[in-house]
Amino acid sequence: MEAMYYYWSIWFIWIIVTFIMGKSTWRTILAVCVLIHIIFSHLMISILDIGMNAGYLITLVYACIAFVTFRPKQRIMRIMQCCSMISAYAFFMIFALYDPVWFTIIKVDWVVFSLLILMCLTYGHQLTERMTLWMMSVCLGEALYALAIHRLTSSIVVGDLGFLSLTVQGAIFLLGVDQLEKLMTTRSSRKPVKGAAKST
């Protein structure tokens, strides 16, 4: 089921990038990146007793590359914002592991998703900023969570298909919010100024 959610979501993003976005070099790069993510999403990389999904590593690489593009003056602030989001992700995942009663009705994934999306919308003003914070926080948060529970289990998997599904759905949500904001901005700019028609 998690695999189905992931593949439906990632293919939806690929369709948007390929057929809806305007023709540009950036669109081609994004389409290639999404295809690479799909191709490697089923591969697992084993390091000692830790298994890592290749799609997780690719997502982390994308986030790091995007993070470098931030202005030097903004990086310290972005690092602090990212650290707060990473801590929130790891805290709720560990809290749900030790006290699952609190998450019998609402899944911990939904809580983490809602909280981190809200933080992304608060911290970032542009889509690239929000996407970068989202990918960086969930990837590093997943790594921090895996390291925290490493002593409790003999083997762990970092970035399984459930994690990738959460990551892709968050990206879709942020993309939808960005398009909605652009639509509202366009509508507000088209509203006629009061008294303009009378003066003409």
Side-chain angles (χ1 to χ4, degrees), residues 45-51 150 154-155:
I45 300 173
S46 297
I47 302 176
L48 299 177
D49 57 344
I50 300 175
H150 183 243
S154 57
S155 62

Side-chain angles (χ1 to χ4, degrees), residues 145-163:
Y145 169 68
L147 290 174
I149 66 171
H150 183 243
R151 296 180 179 180
L152 303 178
T153 179
S154 57
S155 62
I156 57 175
V157 177
V158 182
D160 57 4
L161 287 178
F163 168 81

Side-chain angles (χ1 to χ4, degrees), residues 36-57:
I36 291 174
H37 198 279
I38 295 172
I39 292 170
F40 288 96
S41 61
H42 67 284
L43 297 179
M44 295 297 298
I45 300 173
S46 297
I47 302 176
L48 299 177
D49 57 344
I50 300 175
M52 289 188 181
N53 191 302
Y56 164 83
L57 293 177

Side-chain angles (χ1 to χ4, degrees), residues 74-148:
Q74 293 182 345
R75 286 177 190 169
I76 297 178
M77 180 183 65
R78 297 301 181 192
I79 290 173
M80 295 176 63
Q81 293 171 347
C82 194
C83 287
S84 65
M85 296 173 66
I86 293 168
S87 302
Y89 181 99
F91 170 79
F92 278 101
M93 296 298 289
I94 295 173
F95 184 69
L97 183 66
Y98 281 95
D99 196 357
V101 178
W102 290 91
F103 300 98
T104 53
I105 299 176
I106 302 176
K107 286 186 175 182
V108 64
D109 294 344
W110 299 351
V111 176
V112 171
F113 180 90
S114 302
L115 179 60
L116 264 62
I117 285 292
L118 182 60
M119 295 174 78
C120 282
L121 295 175
T122 304
Y123 292 153
H125 301 288
Q126 298 179 356
L127 179 61
T128 53
E129 296 175 352
R130 293 171 177 175
M131 285 288 191
T132 303
L133 288 172
W134 168 255
M135 291 190 298
M136 184 74 76
S137 62
V138 293
C139 286
L140 295 180
E142 178 75 2
L144 180 60
Y145 169 68
L147 290 174

